[in-house]
Amino acid sequence: MGALLLLESRTLLMSLLDELAKLTVIVADTGDIESIKKFQPTDATTNPSLIYAASQMPQYAHLVDEAVAAAKAHAKPDATEADILADALDRTFVNFGVEILKLVPGKVSTELDARLSFDIEGSISRANRIAELYREAGIDVGERLLVKLASTWEGIKAAEVLEKQGIHCNLTLLFSFAQAVACAEADCTLISPFVGRILDWYKKAEGKDFAPQDDPGVLSVTQIYHYYKKYGYKTVVMGASFRNTGEIIELAGCDKLTIGPKLLEELAASQGTIVPRLTVDGAQGFSQPQIHLDEKGFRWMLNQDAMATEKLAEGIRSFTSDIIKLEKVIKGKL
């Protein structure tokens, strides 16, 4: 009888993924459409590295081929190869995004070329081009698209303009409180603090591991979440770049969490209960005073954070490297 009751109690337990979904909006961090079909998230995020990886899979080659064909067909008579390549790159990102939107009820995040990370006008122009391509595909840009920009001062200022134009933004490569404050003051729709990459830096710098509750990335997102909720900022906090499920569980209750397929699989395969770690009510006891940052204040505060300075630069270089790899693939098809 006791064994039967134990068996029944186990069958009543939900997966950790289902438990998490009761507290937080689950976002799939992948360009792999099959993974999105499997886990059925609300939203999905992509970046140049994920799109490059997906473009190497035979089942998605047609999305690149179609992008190249459309770029060539729409090229102006005086278009250079560089012009056609840039258009084909944007169309590749959009093609993946459109396919993803067939599977998720919410939004897809599509990232701008990382080489525009310090170019306000270039970022605004490219974001409008991305939005135009989504509109041509029949997508409601205001409801279903987030354009991803790096959380540099220039990226944040570009996002501030884009938000006023009705193009909502996801500020990525966010590693510091200074970046989070500037994004909130710019009325950005969403930020993506990179939990795992923050942990990576501290593990290397301090030569030790961290328990999930002491994880520097978890603590960073917790601080940002409490600050936003305490002072009434509308910017959505979406934790990203996780290294383990412990980090994810410690951020249960965060507005959104974007999670890669491997960790989604682990959460789906594990049973248990999750209690909310982050709540709006809990944030009201947050004691840190509100601050305001102009460009000089932002640059100084970011400069004083060695981890954030290094990881932001490293992230931009890494995304740029994968964009160049993707461009080589596309160039071979022109």
Side-chain angles (χ1 to χ4, degrees), residues 106-126:
K107 303 177 187 294
V108 69
S109 290
T110 295
E111 192 149 347
L112 294 189
D113 189 329
R115 292 168 293 191
L116 296 171
S117 295
F118 304 101
D119 182 346
I120 296 175
E121 293 305 319
S123 293
I124 294 169
S125 176
R126 200 70 169 266

Side-chain angles (χ1 to χ4, degrees), residues 153 156-157 177-188 228 293 298:
W153 179 258
I156 295 166
K157 291 294 107 177
F177 188 63
Q179 291 169 294
V181 169
C183 288
E185 294 196 309
D187 290 324
C188 297
Y228 278 16
L293 293 176
F298 171 86

Side-chain angles (χ1 to χ4, degrees), residues 30 60 92 153 222 241 289 296 304 314:
T30 181
Y60 305 132
T92 297
W153 179 258
T222 300
S241 175
K296 289 179 289 187
Q304 294 303 97
E314 177 186 272

Side-chain angles (χ1 to χ4, degrees), residues 33 57-68 95 99 333:
I33 293 163
M57 302 178 188
Q59 63 267 40
Y60 305 132
H62 70 281
L63 296 176
V64 181
D65 293 339
E66 290 165 9
V68 171
N95 282 357
E99 289 301 307
K333 297 175 181 285

Side-chain angles (χ1 to χ4, degrees), residues 176 242 285 300:
S176 72
F242 293 104
W300 178 252

Side-chain angles (χ1 to χ4, degrees), residues 167-316:
I167 298 173
H168 301 306
C169 299
N170 171 352
L171 274 292
T172 188
L173 294 176
L174 193 144
F175 302 97
S176 72
F177 188 63
Q179 291 169 294
V181 169
C183 288
E185 294 196 309
D187 290 324
C188 297
T189 295
L190 181 148
I191 61 168
S192 296
F194 274 33
V195 179
R197 295 196 195 187
I198 294 174
L199 173 64
D200 294 344
W201 191 91
Y202 279 98
K203 284 178 69 173
K204 182 177 180 181
E206 299 188 11
K208 66 177 185 179
D209 290 324
F210 294 85
Q213 66 270 22
D214 301 318
D215 185 306
V218 169
L219 297 178
S220 176
V221 175
T222 300
Q223 177 192 24
I224 292 165
Y225 177 90
H226 285 158
Y227 182 83
Y228 278 16
K229 304 312 176 190
K230 172 69 178 286
Y231 296 110
Y233 292 110
K234 301 302 182 186
T235 300
V236 172
V237 181
M238 182 174 73
S241 175
F242 293 104
R243 295 294 178 259
N244 55 70
T245 57
E247 291 177 321
I248 294 167
I249 291 168
E250 284 298 320
L251 292 175
C254 192
D255 298 324
K256 297 186 177 186
L257 297 174
T258 184
I259 306 168
K262 179 177 178 292
L263 294 179
L264 286 172
E265 187 77 60
E266 289 184 26
L267 290 167
S270 302
Q271 291 184 323
T273 57
I274 298 177
V275 297
R277 267 51 167 200
L278 303 181
T279 65
V280 174
D281 288 344
Q284 301 317 304
F286 185 64
S287 59
Q288 184 166 339
Q290 187 175 19
I291 64 171
H292 303 284
L293 293 176
D294 59 10
E295 181 177 356
K296 289 179 289 187
F298 171 86
R299 293 193 186 282
W300 178 252
M301 195 170 174
L302 181 61
N303 179 76
Q304 294 303 97
D305 188 330
M307 175 277 298
T309 301
E310 291 176 23
K311 298 307 286 187
L312 174 59
E314 177 186 272
I316 291 170

Side-chain angles (χ1 to χ4, degrees), residues 124-136:
I124 294 169
S125 176
R126 200 70 169 266
N128 273 277
R129 175 58 178 156
I130 293 286
E132 179 185 2
L133 290 171
Y134 271 104
R135 290 190 190 101
E136 289 176 3

Side-chain angles (χ1 to χ4, degrees), residues 311-330:
K311 298 307 286 187
L312 174 59
E314 177 186 272
I316 291 170
R317 288 194 299 269
S318 177
F319 283 162
T320 297
S321 174
D322 284 328
I323 286 173
I324 292 170
K325 292 176 186 175
L326 182 56
E327 281 182 334
K328 289 179 179 178
V329 172
I330 292 170

